[in-house]
């Protein structure tokens, strides 16, 4: 096959004539690497070792027989009552939907959870909630697995021995009968915007004035809050309005991926980016993030240089706008490289040219002075009221980096005798120079509410199994103040589970009331005790938001003097040696989702790593230090050490080692235990995110990663297309003509049939796709797709029906990036159908490429003949094991056993449900009646699905868009799924 550049008259890769590449190993090895030459990953198409194909089919038959025998169970001797009088709201086979939410980093995301006869089976976003806007991220989708996790804590323990809830409650009553006004009473909690929890804390402090409620968060240590205080004199929260911003500069802020606010930010930002009026995104960061991959102009920099680049940006903005106080920051600043100077100058001019439409955002890892400087720049650029609004901070207690060290000092001094912990696993997450574990041993009574028996459970006197958020009543606020009522979807699955609020109630004086009664009492009081409260309550539960709770905007006057003083006090950047950077993981976050197999097996958006973390280094740094993928190294910082494997990644800042947090757990669940390395071992109180003076030493050994990006090759064909707006407008016809027009195919025309009632199709707009992975998990939840574990992923046997390919464009050091979701494209002339010897894959009259599982004998001819490599072979029985896993499976989808092919079905079960509803109502299916799981959950609406015969449908509009193209169109497959070219909007100024 001729190289890509010979097939296209002009580049489709951000101005680069190089072919796209997926990994450094592929780029460097070319066609000489056998792993690259093979169509499938090595070993992917072979049966498990020691197991012949004949034996595999025999096992499959045995499994079917065993399943049949299991149906011949004996009924218990007690008399049973048949389900003959269901509740009026329950119709067997018809799911109900309940509005609720999940709290992440203190704020709520509104959700709608589908329930099939009392079983929560699917999580979706609430379109009425300001943070989710109808979308749901990977963490929300995977919450169902956490609910039915067989490894949840199940027993109350005291001193490591089994105890009872009665004994626990009796001890809590004794502790609450104290007469010292709470002098030795402390609560270690996560900051939360819940009004119910805020009231509980207030009542505790009212009863015990000398007690303290201590905040602890590993992800928000209060830098943003302190920055707002520096700028405005108040503890406020700034809310970016990305939909109004025409130019955005992000200073180490991964706002398209990191919690909280990423769902709303992604929706607003991409909506403001649609052609023909594209916005522009400038990013400076140390590692390649989702936001950095999506931006127009990216600058990589060591962590210690980011604050000084922010300072240089302020100087240039001041120079353009005539602000002498900003220009004065140039005195004492550090010298910039030519690349840095060009980027800063161009970004400053772009911001200044869009006054009122410019926005500067800062990531949580930056110090308070940088946050304050961003507020000052936004004020100078006229952003307030346009691209930024301010509201009061509602989290209680507010994030405070010094709270935990102060508590530890009190514990070591013997001041604390009772400590109730509801914050997740502080023993694991505490900075290494804060001796929290040792201090716990000096407290007489420590009570820890937890979902898993983790590291903190082992260090506390009492370990209490906690209810899951889907099992208890509460409330929570969004950043803008909008409150959501969190209602349980199911009774607690763990018999001895206790709501954390129930433990606090012993001290708040509300023990007699349940969480539901406390919640109702609070909102009855807030509603004024109106006679229509019950009607209001039911309306709030049904809609998922409490009306009238959005906070009023606050007018802010930014004081320049304290901000500039804080900026001048910043430490100078490091000029030599290695720097360590710690980041929250895109999947397991700070570690709390490490026990979730769906998230562990979800490929990282950038590295495509599963079941692991690593020390990430740039190609230049790896070359200088003699490192390659899988090399093991020893990282030493301030007398602490960590051994980790190395992954060489493009886009990483030179002389910077990035390690994601959240791995290396030792207790709690076999899913998380021993997976990855614990980067908290190098996290210090005064350097929570980055530190200088890192020592790296290579040690013996090699580590094998489970990376998915090099799986499922498509032989260098043009796939994910990206170019600049100007190039696309000038040369569109030359670029896409061959990819849009119908091509000849090898197969005979299909016999004439009547006009089908529907022509289902899909469109995927790469211009909107950030590669976040929410669609992958949504597909997994909707279609009951199993996880297979690290070893099977390493063999190329992951079962995801939908994958997100990531391609690098350009050089190794700082390449461009384009992501492409890919699933079965439902070819009108599908190569898989013509080679199946048993007609297991067939075509419907509505254009669906269907799978008949009970015909499939597993020849895998269809997978070999599929040019898109989107079919999966179920080698082993991944669906067995814990019977509780059946609770969250979609009852409308067949659970596949071993030995069959699987693939995307366009969520045919949803199509059939809409067809039944339309038939009952005596009408045809309307636009919007059907949506696939991936399209429904996508935060940026990059995926559209529907009937192509409905001209007004979004999918039809995208099929007519000038940017659309048919993937591998030259093969004549005529896919029903089209993709749309991603456009970049680089500045005309050279950056």
């Amino acid at each position: 096959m001729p190289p890509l550049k010979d097939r296209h008259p002009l580049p489709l890769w951000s101005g680069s004539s190089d072919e796209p590449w997926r990994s450094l190993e592929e780029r460097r090895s070319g066609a000489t690497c056998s792993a690259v030459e093979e169509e499938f990953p090595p070993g992917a198409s072979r049966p498990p070792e020691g197991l012949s194909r004949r034996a595999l089919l025999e096992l499959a038959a045995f499994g079917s027989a065993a399943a049949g025998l299991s149906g011949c169970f004996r009924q218990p001797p007690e008399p049973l009552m048949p389900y003959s009088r269901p509740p009026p709201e329950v119709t067997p086979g018809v799911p109900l939907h309940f509005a609720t939410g999940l709290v992440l980093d203190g704020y709520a995301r509104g959700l709608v959870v589908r329930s099939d006869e009392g079983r929560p089976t699917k999580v979706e976003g609430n379109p009425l909630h300001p943070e989710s806007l109808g979308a749901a991220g990977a963490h929300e989708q995977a919450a169902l697995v956490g609910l039915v996790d067989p490894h949840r804590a199940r027993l109350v323990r005291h001193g490591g021995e089994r105890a009872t809830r009665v004994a626990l409650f009796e001890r809590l009553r004794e502790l609450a009968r104290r007469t010292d006004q709470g002098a030795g009473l402390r609560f270690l909690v996560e900051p939360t915007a819940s009004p119910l929890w805020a009231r509980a804390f207030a009542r505790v402090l009212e009863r015990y004035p000398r007690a303290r409620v201590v905040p602890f968060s590993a992800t928000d240590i209060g830098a943003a809050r302190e920055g707002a205080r520096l700028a405005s004199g108040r503890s406020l929260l700034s809310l970016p309005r990305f939909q109004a911003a025409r130019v955005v500069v992000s200073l180490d802020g991964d706002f398209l991926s990191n919690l909280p606010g990423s769902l709303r930010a992604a929706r607003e930002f991409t909506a403001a980016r649609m052609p023909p009026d594209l916005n522009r995104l400038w990013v400076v960061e140390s590692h390649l993030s989702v936001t950095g991959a999506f931006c127009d102009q990216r600058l990589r920099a060591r962590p210690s240089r980011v604050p000084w680049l922010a300072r240089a940006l302020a100087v240039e903005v001041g120079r353009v706008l005539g602000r002498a106080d900003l220009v004065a920051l140039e005195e004492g600043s550090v010298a910039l490289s030519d690349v840095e100077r060009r980027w800063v100058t161009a970004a400053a001019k772009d911001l200044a040219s869009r006054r009122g439409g410019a926005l500067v955002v800062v990531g949580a890892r930056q110090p308070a002075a940088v946050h304050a400087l961003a507020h000052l720049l936004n004020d100078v650029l006229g952003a307030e009221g346009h691209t930024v609004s301010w509201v009061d901070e509602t989290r209680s207690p507010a994030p405070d980096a010094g709270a935990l060290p102060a508590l530890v000092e009190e514990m070591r001094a013997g001041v604390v005798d009772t400590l109730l912990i509801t914050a997740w696993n502080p023993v694991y997450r505490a900075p290494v120079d804060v001796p929290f574990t040792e201090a716990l041993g000096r407290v007489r009574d420590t009570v820890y509410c937890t979902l898993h028996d983790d590291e903190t459970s082992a260090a506390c006197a009492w370990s209490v199994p906690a209810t899951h958020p889907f099992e208890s009543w509460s409330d929570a606020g969004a950043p803008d103040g909008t409150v959501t009522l969190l209602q349980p979807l199911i009774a607690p699955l763990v018999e001895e589970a206790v709501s954390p609020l129930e433990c606090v109630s012993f001290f708040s004086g509300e023990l007699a009331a349940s969480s539901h009664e406390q919640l109702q009492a609070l909102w009855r009081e807030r509603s004024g005790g109106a006679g229509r409260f019950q009607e209001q309550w039911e309306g709030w539960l049904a809609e998922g938001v409490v009306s009238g709770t959005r906070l009023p905007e606050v007018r802010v006057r930014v004081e320049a003097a304290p901000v500039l003083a804080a900026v001048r006090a910043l430490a100078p950047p490091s000029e030599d040696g290695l720097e360590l950077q710690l980041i929250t993981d895109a999947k397991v976050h700070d570690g709390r989702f490490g026990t979730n197999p769906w998230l562990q097996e979800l490929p990282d958006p950038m590295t495509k790593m599963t079941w692991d973390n690593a020390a990430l280094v740039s190609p230049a740094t790896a070359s200088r230090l003699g490192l390659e993928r899988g090399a093991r190294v020893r990282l030493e910082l301030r007398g602490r050490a960590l051994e980790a494997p190395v992954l060489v990644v493009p886009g990483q800042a030179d002389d910077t080692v990035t390690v994601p947090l959240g791995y290396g757990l030792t207790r709690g669940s076999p899913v998380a235990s021993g997976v990855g390395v614990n980067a908290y071992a190098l996290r210090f109180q005064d350097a929570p995110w980055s530190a200088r003076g890192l020592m790296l030493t290579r040690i013996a050994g090699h580590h094998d990663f489970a990376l998915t990006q090099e799986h499922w090759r498509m032989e260098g064909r043009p796939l994910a297309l990206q170019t600049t707006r100007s190039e696309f407008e000038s040369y569109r016809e030359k670029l896409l003509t061959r990819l849009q027009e119908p091509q000849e195919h090898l197969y005979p025309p299909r016999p004439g049939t009547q006009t089908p009632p529907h022509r289902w199709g899909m469109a995927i707009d790469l211009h909107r796709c950030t590669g976040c992975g929410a669609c992958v998990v949504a597909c997994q939840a909707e279609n009951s797709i199993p996880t297979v574990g690290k070893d099977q992923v390493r063999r190329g046997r992951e079962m995801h029906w939908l994958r997100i390919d990531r391609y690098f464009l350009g050089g190794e050091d700082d390449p461009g990036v384009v992501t492409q979701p890919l699933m079965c494209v439902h070819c009108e002339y599908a190569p898989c159908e013509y080679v199946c010897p048993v007609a297991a894959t067939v075509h419907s009259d509505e254009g669906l490429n269907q799978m008949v599982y009970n015909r499939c004998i597993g020849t895998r001819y269809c997978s070999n003949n599929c040019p898109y490599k989107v079919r999966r072979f179920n080698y082993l029985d991944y669906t067995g094991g814990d019977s509780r896993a059946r609770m969250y499976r979609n009852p409308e989808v067949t659970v596949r056993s071993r030995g069959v092919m699987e693939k995307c079905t366009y969520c045919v079960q949803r199509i059939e449900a809409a067809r039944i509803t339309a038939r009952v109502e005596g009408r045809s299916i309307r636009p919007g009646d059907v949506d696939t799981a991936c399209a429904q959950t996508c935060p940026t609406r990059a995926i559209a699905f529907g009937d192509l015969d409905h001209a007004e449908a979004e999918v039809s509009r995208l099929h007519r868009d000038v940017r659309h193209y048919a993937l591998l169109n030259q093969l004549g497959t005529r896919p029903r799924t089209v993709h749309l070219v991603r456009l970049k909007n680089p500045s005309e100024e050279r950056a």
Side-chain angles (χ1 to χ4, degrees):
M1 177 170 290
L4 179 66
K5 58 187 177 183
D6 293 341
R7 296 200 302 273
H8 286 280
L10 289 171
L12 273 165
W13 317 102
S14 291
S16 170
S17 60
D18 292 338
E19 292 189 30
W21 46 283
R22 301 181 300 172
S23 68
L24 289 168
E25 289 73 18
E26 175 183 308
R27 176 181 171 84
R28 293 172 179 175
S29 62
T32 61
C33 178
S34 59
V36 171
E37 286 181 346
E38 293 185 13
E39 181 178 9
F40 295 96
S45 60
R46 294 192 295 270
E49 294 180 7
L51 190 65
S52 67
R53 175 173 176 73
R54 182 184 185 91
L56 181 64
L57 292 177
E58 289 175 354
L59 285 174
F62 174 81
S64 301
L69 290 173
S70 65
C72 304
F73 61 88
R74 295 172 55 193
Q75 290 188 342
E78 297 83 10
L80 303 179
M81 183 65 65
Y83 189 62
S84 59
R85 293 186 180 180
E89 69 275 9
V90 175
T91 302
V94 178
L96 298 176
H97 293 79
F98 298 90
T100 184
L102 281 178
V103 177
L104 299 172
D105 284 350
Y107 293 114
R109 290 185 174 186
L111 305 175
V112 175
V113 181
R114 184 183 70 200
S115 177
D116 288 272
E117 300 179 43
R119 296 181 298 112
T121 56
K122 182 69 170 62
V123 176
E124 298 176 348
N126 185 350
L128 299 179
H129 195 272
E131 280 301 296
S132 57
L133 301 174
H139 300 98
E140 292 86 3
Q141 299 278 350
L144 290 176
V145 182
L147 171 66
V148 301
D149 185 353
H151 306 295
R152 282 176 57 180
R154 307 183 63 83
L155 301 174
V156 177
R157 298 186 183 276
H158 181 228
E161 301 296 328
R162 180 172 182 173
T164 64
R165 280 167 47 113
V166 174
L168 169 69
F169 290 168
E170 180 58 35
R171 183 55 183 163
L172 289 176
R173 288 191 186 94
E174 294 176 6
L175 295 174
R177 291 194 290 265
R178 56 194 312 133
T179 59
D180 59 354
Q181 296 187 319
L185 177 61
R186 299 293 183 267
F187 299 83
L188 187 61
V189 303
E190 306 223 7
T192 176
S194 164
L196 181 62
W197 276 92
R199 189 185 74 159
F201 295 151
R203 294 201 171 185
V204 167
L205 297 179
E206 182 180 346
R207 294 186 68 196
Y208 307 101
R210 298 175 64 186
R212 285 183 54 221
V213 180
V214 181
F216 174 65
S217 171
T219 55
D220 187 348
I221 59 175
R225 172 173 170 264
E226 180 62 18
R229 190 193 63 78
L230 279 172
S232 65
R234 301 169 56 182
S235 294
L236 300 174
L237 181 66
S238 66
L239 301 177
R241 297 176 176 176
F242 291 101
Q243 73 274 20
R246 307 312 309 156
V247 176
V248 180
V249 172
S250 173
L251 302 172
D252 196 28
D254 188 12
F255 61 85
L256 293 178
S257 175
N258 272 359
L259 308 173
S262 58
L263 295 180
R264 174 186 55 82
R267 174 70 58 82
E268 293 180 353
F269 181 80
T270 53
R273 191 173 177 78
M274 296 311 296
D277 187 20
L278 276 64
N279 57 15
R280 183 173 295 122
L281 175 59
W282 302 74
V283 170
V284 56
E285 61 185 7
S286 302
H287 75 288
L288 184 59
S289 68
V290 168
T291 305
F294 200 72
C295 75
D296 299 295
Q297 307 269 187
R298 179 176 182 268
L299 176 66
R300 60 192 183 112
R302 294 167 60 130
S304 64
R305 292 193 69 83
V306 174
W308 289 84
L309 289 167
R311 180 170 173 171
L313 179 68
V315 171
E316 291 300 323
V317 170
R319 184 170 286 121
V320 175
L321 298 181
R323 284 288 299 255
D325 54 346
L326 293 178
V327 176
L329 286 175
E330 187 171 25
E331 182 179 354
S333 62
V334 300
L336 302 182
S337 67
D338 291 341
V339 173
E340 292 172 334
R341 173 60 62 190
R342 289 195 301 269
W343 188 95
V344 166
T345 302
K349 290 181 178 178
D350 207 12
L351 286 171
S353 68
R354 288 284 193 168
R355 293 195 63 178
L359 175 63
V360 180
V361 295
V362 180
R365 291 188 295 268
Q366 290 304 302
V370 179
H371 286 270
L373 183 59
H375 296 320
L376 178 58
L377 286 174
N378 285 329
D379 183 67
V380 169
L381 294 166
E384 185 175 352
H386 296 91
T387 59
V388 169
S389 59
W390 294 80
V391 295
D392 289 316
E393 170 68 79
T394 58
R395 282 180 295 176
S396 175
D400 182 1
L404 183 66
L407 172 64
V408 169
E409 289 303 314
E410 289 184 323
M411 293 161 65
R412 299 181 76 186
V415 174
V416 181
D417 58 58
T418 302
L419 176 64
L420 177 61
I421 304 173
T422 61
W424 179 75
N425 207 352
V427 166
Y428 167 73
R429 295 188 298 161
V432 292
D433 55 343
V434 176
F436 179 73
T437 306
E438 182 265 333
L440 274 178
R442 304 191 182 190
V443 180
R444 185 189 64 206
D445 289 286
T446 51
V447 182
Y448 176 45
C449 294
T450 176
L451 281 171
H452 296 88
D453 290 322
D454 53 31
E455 289 82 351
T456 303
S457 300
C460 289
W462 290 90
S463 178
V464 185
T467 54
H468 189 273
F470 287 164
E471 298 173 333
S472 57
W473 288 91
S474 188
D475 61 11
D480 70 352
T482 302
V483 174
T484 296
L485 299 180
L486 312 183
Q487 56 180 325
L489 281 303
I490 195 170
L493 299 178
V494 175
E495 184 177 355
E496 296 200 353
V498 179
S499 166
L501 186 64
E502 190 176 355
C503 289
V504 175
S505 297
F506 282 90
F507 302 92
S508 66
E510 298 179 285
L511 181 59
S514 65
S515 298
H516 177 257
E517 293 168 335
Q518 294 181 44
L519 188 62
Q520 272 203 327
L522 169 66
W523 287 102
R524 180 179 287 108
E525 178 184 338
R526 289 200 168 197
S527 67
R532 297 177 56 250
F533 170 73
Q534 192 61 33
E535 182 181 341
Q536 285 182 315
W537 172 264
E538 292 175 358
W540 294 338
L541 288 178
E543 294 185 358
V545 293
V546 179
S547 57
T549 52
R550 182 172 180 173
L551 295 171
E553 294 183 7
V554 178
R555 300 294 296 178
V556 171
R557 179 180 178 181
V558 177
E559 297 291 339
V563 173
L564 298 178
V567 171
R568 290 191 177 94
L570 287 169
S574 174
E575 298 298 337
D576 53 13
L578 294 177
E579 292 188 34
L580 172 70
Q581 182 188 43
L582 301 175
I583 60 174
T584 54
D585 188 73
K587 303 182 300 174
V588 304
H589 198 43
D590 59 353
R592 69 185 63 222
F593 299 110
T595 58
N596 195 305
W598 283 8
L599 295 175
Q600 287 279 12
E601 196 153 301
L602 176 68
D604 181 88
M606 291 298 106
T607 65
K608 295 301 173 182
M609 185 187 303
T610 66
W611 295 98
D612 230 330
N613 66 341
L616 311 179
V617 298
S618 71
T621 301
S623 177
R624 181 173 62 83
L625 299 177
L627 303 174
E628 70 285 339
R629 178 200 290 183
R632 296 196 58 83
V633 295
R634 178 181 177 88
L635 305 175
E636 296 181 71
L637 183 68
R638 302 183 186 178
R640 305 279 181 163
L642 173 68
E643 294 184 2
V646 166
L647 184 65
V648 185
V649 292
Q652 174 84 1
D654 293 338
D655 298 321
T656 302
V657 179
T658 299
V659 187
L661 298 166
Y663 292 86
L665 288 160
T666 58
R667 295 174 55 91
S669 170
V671 173
S673 297
V675 175
V677 297
N678 183 8
Y680 285 104
L682 298 180
R683 198 181 201 205
F684 293 84
Q685 176 66 22
D686 63 338
W689 298 113
S690 61
R692 313 172 195 189
L694 178 70
M695 302 296 294
L696 184 149
T697 307
R698 180 161 185 167
I699 59 177
H702 181 83
H703 185 83
D704 290 329
F705 293 109
L707 304 174
T708 65
Q709 180 58 25
E710 294 178 1
H711 299 174
W712 323 115
R713 281 185 54 80
M714 285 186 276
E715 302 304 323
R717 295 156 173 151
L719 304 172
L721 305 186
Q722 172 176 289
T723 188
T724 64
R725 179 176 61 175
S726 59
E727 286 179 343
F728 184 79
E729 291 174 350
S730 301
Y731 305 107
R732 179 184 65 82
E733 293 185 3
K734 292 183 179 179
L735 293 175
L736 288 183
T737 298
R738 289 182 56 215
L739 298 179
Q740 291 178 338
E741 297 177 352
Q743 299 289 308
E744 295 182 2
H745 50 80
L746 299 176
Y747 309 112
R750 295 185 178 279
T753 59
Q754 296 181 349
T755 302
H758 303 284
R759 284 196 309 126
W760 302 113
M762 180 176 284
I764 302 175
D765 193 348
L766 304 185
H767 188 69
R768 286 179 176 265
C769 177
T770 64
C772 67
C775 55
V776 178
V777 182
C779 176
Q780 187 168 14
E782 175 70 20
N783 296 292
S784 302
I785 299 172
T787 54
V788 301
K790 181 178 180 179
D791 178 67
Q792 293 295 304
V793 173
R794 196 161 42 205
R795 296 168 181 259
R797 293 173 180 165
E798 62 270 20
M799 294 300 298
H800 292 141
W801 291 2
L802 188 163
R803 72 175 189 265
I804 301 181
D805 290 334
R806 180 264 298 126
Y807 297 95
F808 293 120
L809 320 168
E812 296 180 358
D813 293 329
D814 196 13
V817 180
V818 60
T819 56
Q820 181 181 53
L822 189 59
M823 67 293 283
C824 176
V825 296
H826 293 266
C827 311
E828 294 188 24
Y829 291 89
C832 56
E833 297 175 5
Y834 297 91
V835 297
C836 181
V838 293
T841 175
V842 295
H843 215 78
S844 77
D845 60 345
E846 296 181 352
L848 299 185
N849 179 252
Q850 299 176 326
M851 283 297 304
V852 184
Y853 293 127
N854 58 356
R855 290 183 186 172
C856 181
I857 60 173
T859 63
R860 289 167 284 157
Y861 296 163
C862 56
S863 181
N864 291 332
N865 215 41
C866 173
Y868 305 96
K869 302 308 166 196
V870 289
R871 309 176 74 88
R872 303 289 177 261
F873 183 64
N874 203 331
Y875 277 94
L876 302 175
D877 185 10
Y878 304 116
T879 59
D882 181 44
S883 61
R884 288 198 300 175
R886 302 174 187 173
M887 292 185 60
Y888 61 82
R889 289 177 184 155
N890 186 351
E892 302 299 324
V893 176
T894 302
V895 177
R896 287 77 56 193
S897 61
R898 64 172 70 90
V900 299
M901 296 299 305
E902 303 184 15
K903 69 170 192 67
C904 164
T905 63
Y906 272 172
C907 288
V908 66
Q909 67 276 8
R910 294 191 173 201
I911 297 175
E912 293 307 313
R915 196 191 314 276
I916 293 171
T917 301
R919 186 180 299 132
V920 169
E921 297 178 0
R923 59 174 177 83
S924 60
I925 298 178
R926 299 176 298 224
D929 282 356
V930 187
D931 216 356
T932 58
C934 56
Q936 187 277 328
T937 203
C938 180
T940 63
R941 293 179 175 168
I943 305 175
F945 175 80
D947 188 347
L948 296 175
D949 285 336
H950 289 149
E952 68 277 18
E954 176 69 6
V955 65
S956 298
R957 185 189 68 79
L958 293 177
H959 270 249
R960 298 189 301 266
D961 192 288
V962 296
R963 294 182 293 115
H964 90 273
Y965 67 97
L967 194 62
L968 305 187
N969 190 54
Q970 67 274 24
L971 301 181
T973 55
R974 298 188 186 177
R976 283 286 179 88
T977 296
V978 300
H979 291 75
L980 280 75
V981 177
R982 174 183 285 185
L983 301 181
K984 290 290 188 178
N985 187 26
S987 171
E988 294 180 1
E989 293 278 342
R990 186 183 178 191

